[in-house]
PDB file of all heavy atoms in Angstrom:
ATOM      1  N   VAL A   1       0.829  -1.211   0.000  1.00 94.00           N
ATOM      2  CA  VAL A   1       0.000   0.000   0.000  1.00 94.00           C
ATOM      3  C   VAL A   1       0.864   1.261   0.000  1.00 94.00           C
ATOM      4  O   VAL A   1       0.561   2.226  -0.705  1.00 94.00           O
ATOM      5  CB  VAL A   1      -0.977  -0.013   1.201  1.00 94.00           C
ATOM      6  CG1 VAL A   1      -1.681   1.327   1.361  1.00 94.00           C
ATOM      7  CG2 VAL A   1      -2.000  -1.133   1.027  1.00 94.00           C
ATOM      8  N   SER A   2       1.953   1.243   0.743  1.00 94.00           N
ATOM      9  CA  SER A   2       2.800   2.430   0.832  1.00 94.00           C
ATOM     10  C   SER A   2       3.475   2.778  -0.496  1.00 94.00           C
ATOM     11  O   SER A   2       3.914   3.905  -0.688  1.00 94.00           O
ATOM     12  CB  SER A   2       3.850   2.269   1.929  1.00 94.00           C
ATOM     13  OG  SER A   2       4.866   1.375   1.536  1.00 94.00           O
ATOM     14  N   HIS A   3       3.541   1.817  -1.413  1.00 93.00           N
ATOM     15  CA  HIS A   3       4.201   2.052  -2.695  1.00 93.00           C
ATOM     16  C   HIS A   3       3.236   2.124  -3.878  1.00 93.00           C
ATOM     17  O   HIS A   3       3.680   2.227  -5.023  1.00 93.00           O
ATOM     18  CB  HIS A   3       5.263   0.973  -2.944  1.00 93.00           C
ATOM     19  CG  HIS A   3       6.383   1.018  -1.956  1.00 93.00           C
ATOM     20  ND1 HIS A   3       7.276   2.060  -1.884  1.00 93.00           N
ATOM     21  CD2 HIS A   3       6.724   0.171  -0.968  1.00 93.00           C
ATOM     22  CE1 HIS A   3       8.135   1.845  -0.905  1.00 93.00           C
ATOM     23  NE2 HIS A   3       7.821   0.700  -0.328  1.00 93.00           N
ATOM     24  N   LEU A   4       1.948   2.070  -3.615  1.00 91.00           N
ATOM     25  CA  LEU A   4       0.959   2.209  -4.694  1.00 91.00           C
ATOM     26  C   LEU A   4       0.851   3.681  -5.093  1.00 91.00           C
ATOM     27  O   LEU A   4       0.766   4.557  -4.232  1.00 91.00           O
ATOM     28  CB  LEU A   4      -0.415   1.708  -4.240  1.00 91.00           C
ATOM     29  CG  LEU A   4      -0.605   0.210  -4.111  1.00 91.00           C
ATOM     30  CD1 LEU A   4      -1.991  -0.097  -3.551  1.00 91.00           C
ATOM     31  CD2 LEU A   4      -0.410  -0.493  -5.442  1.00 91.00           C
ATOM     32  N   ASN A   5       0.833   3.940  -6.379  1.00 86.00           N
ATOM     33  CA  ASN A   5       0.644   5.309  -6.863  1.00 86.00           C
ATOM     34  C   ASN A   5      -0.813   5.725  -6.713  1.00 86.00           C
ATOM     35  O   ASN A   5      -1.119   6.882  -6.483  1.00 86.00           O
ATOM     36  CB  ASN A   5       1.071   5.439  -8.320  1.00 86.00           C
ATOM     37  CG  ASN A   5       2.568   5.278  -8.488  1.00 86.00           C
ATOM     38  OD1 ASN A   5       3.332   5.540  -7.569  1.00 86.00           O
ATOM     39  ND2 ASN A   5       2.976   4.834  -9.654  1.00 86.00           N
ATOM     40  N   GLN A   6      -1.690   4.767  -6.907  1.00 87.00           N
ATOM     41  CA  GLN A   6      -3.121   5.024  -6.786  1.00 87.00           C
ATOM     42  C   GLN A   6      -3.823   3.711  -6.463  1.00 87.00           C
ATOM     43  O   GLN A   6      -3.274   2.648  -6.632  1.00 87.00           O
ATOM     44  CB  GLN A   6      -3.678   5.612  -8.078  1.00 87.00           C
ATOM     45  CG  GLN A   6      -3.474   4.707  -9.287  1.00 87.00           C
ATOM     46  CD  GLN A   6      -3.830   5.393 -10.594  1.00 87.00           C
ATOM     47  OE1 GLN A   6      -3.889   6.608 -10.653  1.00 87.00           O
ATOM     48  NE2 GLN A   6      -4.053   4.620 -11.626  1.00 87.00           N
ATOM     49  N   GLY A   7      -5.049   3.823  -5.993  1.00 86.00           N
ATOM     50  CA  GLY A   7      -5.832   2.634  -5.683  1.00 86.00           C
ATOM     51  C   GLY A   7      -5.499   2.061  -4.313  1.00 86.00           C
ATOM     52  O   GLY A   7      -4.738   2.636  -3.534  1.00 86.00           O
ATOM     53  N   THR A   8      -6.089   0.912  -4.058  1.00 89.00           N
ATOM     54  CA  THR A   8      -5.924   0.237  -2.774  1.00 89.00           C
ATOM     55  C   THR A   8      -5.472  -1.197  -3.005  1.00 89.00           C
ATOM     56  O   THR A   8      -5.422  -1.666  -4.147  1.00 89.00           O
ATOM     57  CB  THR A   8      -7.252   0.212  -1.996  1.00 89.00           C
ATOM     58  OG1 THR A   8      -8.188  -0.608  -2.726  1.00 89.00           O
ATOM     59  CG2 THR A   8      -7.829   1.614  -1.813  1.00 89.00           C
ATOM     60  N   LEU A   9      -5.194  -1.877  -1.927  1.00 89.00           N
ATOM     61  CA  LEU A   9      -4.808  -3.280  -2.001  1.00 89.00           C
ATOM     62  C   LEU A   9      -5.887  -4.112  -2.700  1.00 89.00           C
ATOM     63  O   LEU A   9      -5.584  -5.019  -3.468  1.00 89.00           O
ATOM     64  CB  LEU A   9      -4.554  -3.805  -0.581  1.00 89.00           C
ATOM     65  CG  LEU A   9      -3.859  -5.143  -0.439  1.00 89.00           C
ATOM     66  CD1 LEU A   9      -2.450  -5.095  -1.018  1.00 89.00           C
ATOM     67  CD2 LEU A   9      -3.796  -5.550   1.019  1.00 89.00           C
ATOM     68  N   GLU A  10      -7.141  -3.756  -2.450  1.00 90.00           N
ATOM     69  CA  GLU A  10      -8.267  -4.501  -3.034  1.00 90.00           C
ATOM     70  C   GLU A  10      -8.363  -4.314  -4.547  1.00 90.00           C
ATOM     71  O   GLU A  10      -9.013  -5.102  -5.230  1.00 90.00           O
ATOM     72  CB  GLU A  10      -9.585  -4.094  -2.372  1.00 90.00           C
ATOM     73  CG  GLU A  10      -9.724  -4.547  -0.928  1.00 90.00           C
ATOM     74  CD  GLU A  10      -8.847  -3.752   0.048  1.00 90.00           C
ATOM     75  OE1 GLU A  10      -8.590  -2.549  -0.183  1.00 90.00           O
ATOM     76  OE2 GLU A  10      -8.403  -4.359   1.041  1.00 90.00           O
ATOM     77  N   ASP A  11      -7.728  -3.282  -5.086  1.00 90.00           N
ATOM     78  CA  ASP A  11      -7.752  -3.037  -6.528  1.00 90.00           C
ATOM     79  C   ASP A  11      -6.771  -3.922  -7.290  1.00 90.00           C
ATOM     80  O   ASP A  11      -6.841  -4.019  -8.508  1.00 90.00           O
ATOM     81  CB  ASP A  11      -7.431  -1.559  -6.828  1.00 90.00           C
ATOM     82  CG  ASP A  11      -8.475  -0.617  -6.263  1.00 90.00           C
ATOM     83  OD1 ASP A  11      -9.660  -0.999  -6.219  1.00 90.00           O
ATOM     84  OD2 ASP A  11      -8.099   0.499  -5.854  1.00 90.00           O
ATOM     85  N   ILE A  12      -5.864  -4.552  -6.581  1.00 92.00           N
ATOM     86  CA  ILE A  12      -4.864  -5.418  -7.213  1.00 92.00           C
ATOM     87  C   ILE A  12      -5.466  -6.815  -7.378  1.00 92.00           C
ATOM     88  O   ILE A  12      -6.090  -7.344  -6.462  1.00 92.00           O
ATOM     89  CB  ILE A  12      -3.591  -5.500  -6.344  1.00 92.00           C
ATOM     90  CG1 ILE A  12      -3.007  -4.101  -6.128  1.00 92.00           C
ATOM     91  CG2 ILE A  12      -2.554  -6.416  -6.996  1.00 92.00           C
ATOM     92  CD1 ILE A  12      -1.875  -4.076  -5.114  1.00 92.00           C
ATOM     93  N   GLY A  13      -5.272  -7.407  -8.533  1.00 92.00           N
ATOM     94  CA  GLY A  13      -5.760  -8.766  -8.780  1.00 92.00           C
ATOM     95  C   GLY A  13      -5.151  -9.755  -7.796  1.00 92.00           C
ATOM     96  O   GLY A  13      -4.019  -9.565  -7.328  1.00 92.00           O
ATOM     97  N   SER A  14      -5.878 -10.807  -7.490  1.00 92.00           N
ATOM     98  CA  SER A  14      -5.416 -11.781  -6.490  1.00 92.00           C
ATOM     99  C   SER A  14      -4.112 -12.470  -6.880  1.00 92.00           C
ATOM    100  O   SER A  14      -3.270 -12.736  -6.019  1.00 92.00           O
ATOM    101  CB  SER A  14      -6.497 -12.824  -6.230  1.00 92.00           C
ATOM    102  OG  SER A  14      -7.567 -12.236  -5.538  1.00 92.00           O
ATOM    103  N   VAL A  15      -3.928 -12.768  -8.164  1.00 94.00           N
ATOM    104  CA  VAL A  15      -2.686 -13.415  -8.581  1.00 94.00           C
ATOM    105  C   VAL A  15      -1.516 -12.446  -8.417  1.00 94.00           C
ATOM    106  O   VAL A  15      -0.476 -12.797  -7.841  1.00 94.00           O
ATOM    107  CB  VAL A  15      -2.768 -13.914 -10.045  1.00 94.00           C
ATOM    108  CG1 VAL A  15      -1.428 -14.436 -10.522  1.00 94.00           C
ATOM    109  CG2 VAL A  15      -3.832 -14.994 -10.175  1.00 94.00           C
ATOM    110  N   GLU A  16      -1.698 -11.217  -8.895  1.00 95.00           N
ATOM    111  CA  GLU A  16      -0.651 -10.205  -8.765  1.00 95.00           C
ATOM    112  C   GLU A  16      -0.325  -9.948  -7.294  1.00 95.00           C
ATOM    113  O   GLU A  16       0.829  -9.825  -6.904  1.00 95.00           O
ATOM    114  CB  GLU A  16      -1.069  -8.900  -9.447  1.00 95.00           C
ATOM    115  CG  GLU A  16      -1.131  -8.979 -10.959  1.00 95.00           C
ATOM    116  CD  GLU A  16      -2.462  -9.494 -11.505  1.00 95.00           C
ATOM    117  OE1 GLU A  16      -3.299 -10.024 -10.730  1.00 95.00           O
ATOM    118  OE2 GLU A  16      -2.666  -9.372 -12.730  1.00 95.00           O
ATOM    119  N   LYS A  17      -1.368  -9.877  -6.481  1.00 96.00           N
ATOM    120  CA  LYS A  17      -1.180  -9.644  -5.045  1.00 96.00           C
ATOM    121  C   LYS A  17      -0.384 -10.791  -4.420  1.00 96.00           C
ATOM    122  O   LYS A  17       0.512 -10.556  -3.606  1.00 96.00           O
ATOM    123  CB  LYS A  17      -2.552  -9.522  -4.373  1.00 96.00           C
ATOM    124  CG  LYS A  17      -2.549  -8.792  -3.066  1.00 96.00           C
ATOM    125  CD  LYS A  17      -3.919  -8.682  -2.418  1.00 96.00           C
ATOM    126  CE  LYS A  17      -5.051  -8.450  -3.377  1.00 96.00           C
ATOM    127  NZ  LYS A  17      -6.363  -8.448  -2.731  1.00 96.00           N
ATOM    128  N   SER A  18      -0.675 -12.001  -4.812  1.00 96.00           N
ATOM    129  CA  SER A  18       0.041 -13.167  -4.279  1.00 96.00           C
ATOM    130  C   SER A  18       1.507 -13.136  -4.685  1.00 96.00           C
ATOM    131  O   SER A  18       2.393 -13.435  -3.873  1.00 96.00           O
ATOM    132  CB  SER A  18      -0.624 -14.459  -4.761  1.00 96.00           C
ATOM    133  OG  SER A  18      -1.946 -14.535  -4.280  1.00 96.00           O
ATOM    134  N   ILE A  19       1.780 -12.758  -5.936  1.00 97.00           N
ATOM    135  CA  ILE A  19       3.162 -12.651  -6.416  1.00 97.00           C
ATOM    136  C   ILE A  19       3.896 -11.566  -5.637  1.00 97.00           C
ATOM    137  O   ILE A  19       5.023 -11.774  -5.182  1.00 97.00           O
ATOM    138  CB  ILE A  19       3.185 -12.371  -7.937  1.00 97.00           C
ATOM    139  CG1 ILE A  19       2.659 -13.597  -8.703  1.00 97.00           C
ATOM    140  CG2 ILE A  19       4.594 -11.993  -8.406  1.00 97.00           C
ATOM    141  CD1 ILE A  19       2.356 -13.346 -10.173  1.00 97.00           C
ATOM    142  N   LEU A  20       3.265 -10.417  -5.474  1.00 97.00           N
ATOM    143  CA  LEU A  20       3.878  -9.315  -4.729  1.00 97.00           C
ATOM    144  C   LEU A  20       4.144  -9.694  -3.282  1.00 97.00           C
ATOM    145  O   LEU A  20       5.220  -9.414  -2.738  1.00 97.00           O
ATOM    146  CB  LEU A  20       2.985  -8.071  -4.777  1.00 97.00           C
ATOM    147  CG  LEU A  20       2.956  -7.318  -6.095  1.00 97.00           C
ATOM    148  CD1 LEU A  20       1.850  -6.268  -6.074  1.00 97.00           C
ATOM    149  CD2 LEU A  20       4.301  -6.677  -6.388  1.00 97.00           C
ATOM    150  N   ARG A  21       3.176 -10.324  -2.653  1.00 97.00           N
ATOM    151  CA  ARG A  21       3.340 -10.705  -1.248  1.00 97.00           C
ATOM    152  C   ARG A  21       4.523 -11.637  -1.059  1.00 97.00           C
ATOM    153  O   ARG A  21       5.333 -11.468  -0.146  1.00 97.00           O
ATOM    154  CB  ARG A  21       2.054 -11.345  -0.722  1.00 97.00           C
ATOM    155  CG  ARG A  21       0.951 -10.343  -0.465  1.00 97.00           C
ATOM    156  CD  ARG A  21      -0.351 -11.016  -0.127  1.00 97.00           C
ATOM    157  NE  ARG A  21      -1.341 -10.051   0.351  1.00 97.00           N
ATOM    158  CZ  ARG A  21      -2.648 -10.309   0.422  1.00 97.00           C
ATOM    159  NH1 ARG A  21      -3.122 -11.497   0.049  1.00 97.00           N
ATOM    160  NH2 ARG A  21      -3.473  -9.385   0.870  1.00 97.00           N
ATOM    161  N   LEU A  22       4.619 -12.636  -1.928  1.00 97.00           N
ATOM    162  CA  LEU A  22       5.728 -13.583  -1.833  1.00 97.00           C
ATOM    163  C   LEU A  22       7.060 -12.867  -2.047  1.00 97.00           C
ATOM    164  O   LEU A  22       8.000 -13.038  -1.265  1.00 97.00           O
ATOM    165  CB  LEU A  22       5.559 -14.709  -2.851  1.00 97.00           C
ATOM    166  CG  LEU A  22       6.732 -15.682  -2.964  1.00 97.00           C
ATOM    167  CD1 LEU A  22       7.012 -16.359  -1.634  1.00 97.00           C
ATOM    168  CD2 LEU A  22       6.457 -16.697  -4.048  1.00 97.00           C
ATOM    169  N   ALA A  23       7.143 -12.056  -3.081  1.00 97.00           N
ATOM    170  CA  ALA A  23       8.400 -11.371  -3.389  1.00 97.00           C
ATOM    171  C   ALA A  23       8.792 -10.406  -2.275  1.00 97.00           C
ATOM    172  O   ALA A  23       9.969 -10.338  -1.893  1.00 97.00           O
ATOM    173  CB  ALA A  23       8.281 -10.632  -4.723  1.00 97.00           C
ATOM    174  N   ILE A  24       7.829  -9.684  -1.737  1.00 97.00           N
ATOM    175  CA  ILE A  24       8.140  -8.742  -0.656  1.00 97.00           C
ATOM    176  C   ILE A  24       8.585  -9.493   0.593  1.00 97.00           C
ATOM    177  O   ILE A  24       9.507  -9.060   1.287  1.00 97.00           O
ATOM    178  CB  ILE A  24       6.954  -7.793  -0.385  1.00 97.00           C
ATOM    179  CG1 ILE A  24       6.802  -6.844  -1.587  1.00 97.00           C
ATOM    180  CG2 ILE A  24       7.150  -7.004   0.903  1.00 97.00           C
ATOM    181  CD1 ILE A  24       5.547  -6.001  -1.577  1.00 97.00           C
ATOM    182  N   PHE A  25       7.975 -10.638   0.870  1.00 97.00           N
ATOM    183  CA  PHE A  25       8.456 -11.450   1.992  1.00 97.00           C
ATOM    184  C   PHE A  25       9.928 -11.803   1.771  1.00 97.00           C
ATOM    185  O   PHE A  25      10.758 -11.655   2.673  1.00 97.00           O
ATOM    186  CB  PHE A  25       7.626 -12.729   2.166  1.00 97.00           C
ATOM    187  CG  PHE A  25       8.275 -13.684   3.130  1.00 97.00           C
ATOM    188  CD1 PHE A  25       8.243 -13.436   4.495  1.00 97.00           C
ATOM    189  CD2 PHE A  25       8.964 -14.799   2.678  1.00 97.00           C
ATOM    190  CE1 PHE A  25       8.889 -14.285   5.394  1.00 97.00           C
ATOM    191  CE2 PHE A  25       9.603 -15.656   3.559  1.00 97.00           C
ATOM    192  CZ  PHE A  25       9.562 -15.396   4.926  1.00 97.00           C
ATOM    193  N   GLU A  26      10.256 -12.251   0.566  1.00 96.00           N
ATOM    194  CA  GLU A  26      11.644 -12.639   0.287  1.00 96.00           C
ATOM    195  C   GLU A  26      12.589 -11.443   0.374  1.00 96.00           C
ATOM    196  O   GLU A  26      13.709 -11.566   0.885  1.00 96.00           O
ATOM    197  CB  GLU A  26      11.748 -13.304  -1.085  1.00 96.00           C
ATOM    198  CG  GLU A  26      11.108 -14.679  -1.116  1.00 96.00           C
ATOM    199  CD  GLU A  26      11.419 -15.429  -2.382  1.00 96.00           C
ATOM    200  OE1 GLU A  26      12.456 -16.131  -2.402  1.00 96.00           O
ATOM    201  OE2 GLU A  26      10.655 -15.305  -3.354  1.00 96.00           O
ATOM    202  N   ILE A  27      12.153 -10.286  -0.103  1.00 96.00           N
ATOM    203  CA  ILE A  27      12.992  -9.084  -0.054  1.00 96.00           C
ATOM    204  C   ILE A  27      13.246  -8.658   1.395  1.00 96.00           C
ATOM    205  O   ILE A  27      14.377  -8.343   1.763  1.00 96.00           O
ATOM    206  CB  ILE A  27      12.348  -7.938  -0.859  1.00 96.00           C
ATOM    207  CG1 ILE A  27      12.437  -8.241  -2.360  1.00 96.00           C
ATOM    208  CG2 ILE A  27      13.006  -6.592  -0.541  1.00 96.00           C
ATOM    209  CD1 ILE A  27      11.581  -7.339  -3.243  1.00 96.00           C
ATOM    210  N   LEU A  28      12.202  -8.659   2.202  1.00 95.00           N
ATOM    211  CA  LEU A  28      12.318  -8.154   3.567  1.00 95.00           C
ATOM    212  C   LEU A  28      12.913  -9.148   4.558  1.00 95.00           C
ATOM    213  O   LEU A  28      13.602  -8.750   5.496  1.00 95.00           O
ATOM    214  CB  LEU A  28      10.950  -7.701   4.088  1.00 95.00           C
ATOM    215  CG  LEU A  28      10.273  -6.535   3.371  1.00 95.00           C
ATOM    216  CD1 LEU A  28       8.922  -6.245   4.009  1.00 95.00           C
ATOM    217  CD2 LEU A  28      11.160  -5.299   3.372  1.00 95.00           C
ATOM    218  N   PHE A  29      12.625 -10.428   4.377  1.00 95.00           N
ATOM    219  CA  PHE A  29      12.940 -11.399   5.425  1.00 95.00           C
ATOM    220  C   PHE A  29      13.909 -12.517   5.036  1.00 95.00           C
ATOM    221  O   PHE A  29      14.341 -13.267   5.905  1.00 95.00           O
ATOM    222  CB  PHE A  29      11.642 -12.045   5.936  1.00 95.00           C
ATOM    223  CG  PHE A  29      10.674 -11.052   6.521  1.00 95.00           C
ATOM    224  CD1 PHE A  29       9.587 -10.607   5.779  1.00 95.00           C
ATOM    225  CD2 PHE A  29      10.855 -10.551   7.802  1.00 95.00           C
ATOM    226  CE1 PHE A  29       8.679  -9.692   6.308  1.00 95.00           C
ATOM    227  CE2 PHE A  29       9.961  -9.638   8.336  1.00 95.00           C
ATOM    228  CZ  PHE A  29       8.878  -9.201   7.593  1.00 95.00           C
ATOM    229  N   GLU A  30      14.216 -12.645   3.771  1.00 92.00           N
ATOM    230  CA  GLU A  30      15.112 -13.715   3.334  1.00 92.00           C
ATOM    231  C   GLU A  30      16.431 -13.124   2.849  1.00 92.00           C
ATOM    232  O   GLU A  30      16.471 -12.005   2.348  1.00 92.00           O
ATOM    233  CB  GLU A  30      14.464 -14.535   2.210  1.00 92.00           C
ATOM    234  CG  GLU A  30      13.258 -15.339   2.656  1.00 92.00           C
ATOM    235  CD  GLU A  30      13.605 -16.414   3.663  1.00 92.00           C
ATOM    236  OE1 GLU A  30      14.444 -17.268   3.366  1.00 92.00           O
ATOM    237  OE2 GLU A  30      13.012 -16.404   4.756  1.00 92.00           O
ATOM    238  N   ASP A  31      17.480 -13.880   2.975  1.00 90.00           N
ATOM    239  CA  ASP A  31      18.804 -13.422   2.560  1.00 90.00           C
ATOM    240  C   ASP A  31      19.088 -13.908   1.134  1.00 90.00           C
ATOM    241  O   ASP A  31      19.934 -14.756   0.913  1.00 90.00           O
ATOM    242  CB  ASP A  31      19.860 -13.942   3.539  1.00 90.00           C
ATOM    243  CG  ASP A  31      21.224 -13.335   3.282  1.00 90.00           C
ATOM    244  OD1 ASP A  31      21.276 -12.219   2.731  1.00 90.00           O
ATOM    245  OD2 ASP A  31      22.226 -13.985   3.628  1.00 90.00           O
ATOM    246  N   LEU A  32      18.324 -13.358   0.202  1.00 89.00           N
ATOM    247  CA  LEU A  32      18.486 -13.692  -1.207  1.00 89.00           C
ATOM    248  C   LEU A  32      18.789 -12.412  -1.979  1.00 89.00           C
ATOM    249  O   LEU A  32      18.351 -11.334  -1.577  1.00 89.00           O
ATOM    250  CB  LEU A  32      17.188 -14.311  -1.756  1.00 89.00           C
ATOM    251  CG  LEU A  32      16.746 -15.626  -1.134  1.00 89.00           C
ATOM    252  CD1 LEU A  32      15.324 -15.948  -1.528  1.00 89.00           C
ATOM    253  CD2 LEU A  32      17.676 -16.738  -1.596  1.00 89.00           C
ATOM    254  N   PRO A  33      19.519 -12.517  -3.090  1.00 93.00           N
ATOM    255  CA  PRO A  33      19.770 -11.312  -3.884  1.00 93.00           C
ATOM    256  C   PRO A  33      18.448 -10.701  -4.367  1.00 93.00           C
ATOM    257  O   PRO A  33      17.601 -11.401  -4.927  1.00 93.00           O
ATOM    258  CB  PRO A  33      20.603 -11.831  -5.062  1.00 93.00           C
ATOM    259  CG  PRO A  33      21.172 -13.134  -4.597  1.00 93.00           C
ATOM    260  CD  PRO A  33      20.171 -13.702  -3.637  1.00 93.00           C
ATOM    261  N   LYS A  34      18.303  -9.408  -4.141  1.00 94.00           N
ATOM    262  CA  LYS A  34      17.047  -8.709  -4.488  1.00 94.00           C
ATOM    263  C   LYS A  34      16.733  -8.837  -5.980  1.00 94.00           C
ATOM    264  O   LYS A  34      15.594  -9.025  -6.362  1.00 94.00           O
ATOM    265  CB  LYS A  34      17.119  -7.229  -4.096  1.00 94.00           C
ATOM    266  CG  LYS A  34      17.605  -6.954  -2.688  1.00 94.00           C
ATOM    267  CD  LYS A  34      16.613  -7.331  -1.631  1.00 94.00           C
ATOM    268  CE  LYS A  34      17.060  -6.885  -0.253  1.00 94.00           C
ATOM    269  NZ  LYS A  34      17.434  -7.921   0.645  1.00 94.00           N
ATOM    270  N   ALA A  35      17.774  -8.750  -6.813  1.00 94.00           N
ATOM    271  CA  ALA A  35      17.562  -8.847  -8.263  1.00 94.00           C
ATOM    272  C   ALA A  35      16.986 -10.211  -8.655  1.00 94.00           C
ATOM    273  O   ALA A  35      16.134 -10.296  -9.545  1.00 94.00           O
ATOM    274  CB  ALA A  35      18.862  -8.582  -9.011  1.00 94.00           C
ATOM    275  N   VAL A  36      17.428 -11.255  -7.984  1.00 94.00           N
ATOM    276  CA  VAL A  36      16.917 -12.604  -8.258  1.00 94.00           C
ATOM    277  C   VAL A  36      15.439 -12.696  -7.873  1.00 94.00           C
ATOM    278  O   VAL A  36      14.619 -13.215  -8.626  1.00 94.00           O
ATOM    279  CB  VAL A  36      17.744 -13.672  -7.504  1.00 94.00           C
ATOM    280  CG1 VAL A  36      17.093 -15.043  -7.594  1.00 94.00           C
ATOM    281  CG2 VAL A  36      19.161 -13.722  -8.042  1.00 94.00           C
TER     282      VAL A  36
END
């Protein structure tokens, strides 16, 4: 939500939201290269 230019979390499709959630978890909490 903090990085959305417009709209809300509910405006994002469920598949896209699932992809984003997984990737953000990996970025914030896992020790993996961000580019990967």
Side-chain angles (χ1 to χ4, degrees):
V1 170
S2 74
H3 295 293
L4 286 176
N5 292 334
Q6 59 189 19
T8 66
L9 193 63
E10 291 73 31
D11 296 327
I12 302 171
S14 290
V15 173
E16 291 86 348
K17 202 180 322 176
S18 298
I19 292 168
L20 286 170
R21 285 172 170 164
L22 173 59
I24 291 171
F25 169 75
E26 290 190 89
I27 289 168
L28 297 179
F29 300 101
E30 293 295 303
D31 188 26
L32 297 167
K34 311 289 187 249
V36 171

